[in-house]
Amino acid sequence: MVVPQSGLPERVTIYEVGPRDGLQNEKTLVNTEVKAEFVRRLLAAGLPIVEATSFVHPRWIPQLADAADLMGLLDAAGRDCPVLVPNERGLDRALELGVKKIAIFGSATDTFAKRNLNCTLEEQFAMFEPAVKRAREAELDVRAYVSMCFGDPWEGAVPVQQVVYVGKRLLDMGANQLSLGDTIGVGTPGHVTHLIESFLEAGVDVAQLAMHFHDTYGQALSNTFAALLGGVSTFDASAGGIGGCPFAESATGNLATEDLVWMLHGLGIQTGVDLGQVVATSSWMAEHLGRPSPSALVRALTRTS
Ligand code: MG
């Protein structure tokens, strides 16, 4: 049943991360044609943005070593999908393939920057700047992920003003959008509200903010609702809830696209997404991954007995 509530956006953009953030954190290697079919099916289900892959060095993420081959298998709509690039070399590969949208992956904490980017929190800006500058000169859209916005497994609590500082630096560098990540899933709704308000107080337009919640502690939809009340209208999700964070202990990770769509549609918020088609796609992918989907919605809607 659809019961709208006032004070929420009429329409939400779901930024699908399953083929990149999902598959990169799955143990099972999926072949390139299956990945291409995954992207095609997600686009056909009405997801407006599907992040296809990452041009990170195969040594770090062997699951996505076939990034160039995958992009070659996609048609024009597929090649319009954003890809993650870690540096200028990754940008070169993306530009060669005619990619129009890229994402970079920053850190809100010093420890995660050192572990994941091999540089300090402050050094990451110098590392990203040449790639962002060249991408913007080539009229590419640049999304900047900010990871560990709500907590860090090594540092614990992350000061809200530190997150705002990192996000502002990335926007000032030329990024079009920030994706604020609760990488280990420890955030709660009041924290979400406070973080969004702090960005607005710092002069950031809410339209430039996207939220990337993880359901590790069961808080992803509560946090989404808080962000909707704060005016955010772009949310990241992973079809079937695949992937997550290798640093979080629990098996669950990324917010499932289906779980998000169910809540949004129940609130009367438009997404353009066909829930049944996403569920069918996630069930199909679960077979390739050799395990059931962690999404509550996928389980509920595919129950046979
Ligand atoms: Mg994620």
Side-chain angles (χ1 to χ4, degrees), residues 168 198-205 208:
K168 282 272 286 176
S198 301
F199 267 101
L200 302 192
E201 281 164 16
V204 173
D205 184 343
Q208 290 186 291

Side-chain angles (χ1 to χ4, degrees), residues 275-297:
L275 178 62
Q277 282 192 52
V278 186
V279 169
T281 300
S282 295
S283 301
W284 165 83
M285 181 48 78
E287 284 175 30
H288 285 284
L289 294 171
R291 64 167 177 82
S293 165
S295 159
L297 251 291

Side-chain angles (χ1 to χ4, degrees), residues 48-62:
I49 310 173
V50 180
E51 194 167 281
T53 187
S54 170
F55 283 90
V56 70
H57 196 285
R59 191 188 313 139
W60 306 119
I61 304 181

Side-chain angles (χ1 to χ4, degrees), residues 15-305:
Y15 186 107
E16 170 64 46
V17 298
R20 197 277 301 167
D21 187 17
L23 293 181
Q24 83 170 38
N25 290 309
E26 290 286 337
K27 285 195 198 79
T28 307
L29 290 178
V30 175
N31 83 48
T32 314
E33 180 48 57
V34 171
K35 288 178 184 170
E37 184 63 18
F38 190 33
V39 173
R40 289 186 206 113
R41 289 179 70 148
L42 292 167
L43 290 168
L47 285 154
I49 310 173
V50 180
E51 194 167 281
T53 187
S54 170
F55 283 90
V56 70
H57 196 285
R59 191 188 313 139
W60 306 119
I61 304 181
Q63 290 93 330
L64 303 183
D66 59 355
D69 292 341
L70 171 64
M71 296 310 282
L73 286 174
L74 297 174
D75 63 8
R79 286 195 302 277
D80 198 39
C81 290
V83 299
L84 191 78
V85 302
N87 50 33
E88 278 198 276
R89 198 175 139 76
L91 177 67
D92 288 338
R93 294 175 67 200
L95 287 171
E96 275 168 29
L97 290 161
V99 165
K100 304 270 188 342
K101 300 174 185 128
I102 62 157
I104 58 169
F105 198 81
S107 174
T109 69
D110 197 52
T111 311
F112 192 62
K114 284 174 182 152
R115 285 178 173 256
N116 197 51
L117 305 171
N118 208 20
C119 65
T120 66
L121 182 138
E122 204 55 39
E123 285 166 356
Q124 71 181 321
F125 304 118
M127 187 182 83
F128 290 132
E129 192 155 26
V132 173
K133 191 161 174 282
R134 280 182 50 211
R136 296 293 287 138
E137 281 167 5
E139 298 183 354
L140 268 58
D141 274 357
V142 178
R143 155 181 259 233
Y145 286 98
V146 185
S147 50
M148 303 299 175
C149 291
F150 293 85
D152 173 292
W154 302 280
E155 297 185 15
V158 179
V160 164
Q161 287 309 325
Q162 186 174 312
V163 181
V164 173
Y165 167 74
V166 170
K168 282 272 286 176
R169 287 286 305 264
L170 294 169
L171 287 174
D172 290 346
M173 193 184 288
N176 306 87
Q177 183 180 65
L178 296 177
S179 171
L180 304 176
D182 186 7
T183 315
I184 56 170
V186 295
T188 44
H191 194 166
V192 173
T193 303
H194 182 41
L195 182 64
I196 293 168
E197 284 174 353
S198 301
F199 267 101
L200 302 192
E201 281 164 16
V204 173
D205 184 343
V206 75
Q208 290 186 291
L209 299 180
M211 304 303 297
H212 182 113
F213 292 123
H214 281 194
D215 208 30
T216 321
Y217 291 79
Q219 304 299 301
L221 285 179
S222 307
N223 290 339
T224 299
F225 193 71
L228 286 168
L229 287 169
V232 172
S233 61
T234 302
F235 291 88
D236 298 1
S238 171
I242 60 170
C245 176
F247 304 98
E249 290 295 314
S250 170
T252 54
N254 284 317
L255 169 61
T257 306
E258 293 88 343
D259 300 21
L260 175 61
V261 169
W262 182 270
M263 184 179 81
L264 294 173
H265 288 184
L267 286 162
I269 296 171
Q270 294 173 37
T271 65
V273 176
D274 183 314
L275 178 62
Q277 282 192 52
V278 186
V279 169
T281 300
S282 295
S283 301
W284 165 83
M285 181 48 78
E287 284 175 30
H288 285 284
L289 294 171
R291 64 167 177 82
S293 165
S295 159
L297 251 291
V298 173
R299 288 198 305 271
L301 295 177
T302 57
R303 199 168 285 145
T304 49
S305 57

